[in-house]
Amino acid sequence: MGFTEIKNWLRHRHPMLYLDRVLDYEPGVRLVSRLSVSGQIDAIAGHFPERAVFPASHLSQAFAQSGIILFQLSTSPLADDELTLVGSMNSRFFHVVAPGDTVTFTVTADRLVDGTTFFFSGRAFVDGKTVGAFRSSLVRRKADALGHQWW
């Protein structure tokens, strides 16, 4: 699944779209995705000017986006009036990710509850070395159930 198709599965857009490609997936089981980290990514500009580091918070977001795609592939695509929200996330980071690195995410479906709550886990790798480990949950909600929207 290339970048253009990924945009069909996510509400995110530049500069908050972090996946370049989905390499492989099996609905209800797993998804493998990729992010190529470039010095031109907006988050890199100020993090940190003297030694560029890809922020761990953005690595977490890329992992969550992988989970969002697997969630939908395992159930159904989001309706126009639906959103996915991160219910919780535990993460651990082992190595710095910098421009020039290619991060591969492996995401595993741990549990699906009523088609509305999805528990998943996974790891992020650069050159075969684990740079992060994650465990998270997502919920699917109607936008109007979230209260008055100011936008």
Side-chain angles (χ1 to χ4, degrees):
M1 183 183 304
F3 185 73
T4 301
E5 187 176 353
I6 286 171
K7 291 191 295 184
N8 293 328
W9 292 97
L10 296 171
R11 302 273 193 247
H12 306 81
R13 292 296 179 261
H14 175 81
M16 295 300 294
L17 185 55
Y18 291 113
L19 299 179
D20 297 319
R21 189 166 303 282
V22 171
L23 303 173
D24 193 23
Y25 65 87
E26 184 178 347
V29 179
R30 67 177 171 69
L31 181 135
V32 180
S33 59
R34 179 171 290 157
L35 163 67
S36 297
V37 178
S38 166
Q40 300 303 310
I41 293 175
D42 292 349
I44 296 285
H47 196 270
F48 299 94
E50 65 281 356
R51 183 168 187 254
V53 174
F54 188 68
S57 60
H58 295 291
L59 203 61
S60 297
Q61 181 65 37
F63 169 74
Q65 289 176 5
S66 298
I68 290 167
I69 295 171
L70 181 57
F71 185 14
Q72 292 179 80
L73 289 168
S74 302
T75 56
S76 64
L78 291 173
D80 289 341
D81 63 342
E82 288 183 312
L83 299 169
T84 51
L85 303 170
V86 173
S88 65
M89 183 178 284
N90 293 320
S91 53
R92 186 162 179 194
F93 303 97
F94 304 104
H95 296 281
V96 168
V97 174
D101 286 343
T102 299
V103 184
T104 302
F105 297 90
T106 59
V107 175
T108 303
D110 296 331
R111 187 166 45 126
L112 179 62
V113 179
D114 299 329
T116 62
T117 305
F118 183 63
F119 297 88
F120 62 108
S121 57
R123 292 186 173 272
F125 303 92
V126 172
D127 296 329
K129 180 174 24 174
T130 301
V131 297
F134 308 88
R135 185 173 301 281
S136 188
S137 66
L138 294 166
V139 294
R140 178 188 292 240
R141 295 288 183 262
K142 297 275 187 190
D144 62 1
L146 302 175
H148 178 71
Q149 304 301 311
W150 293 101
W151 63 87

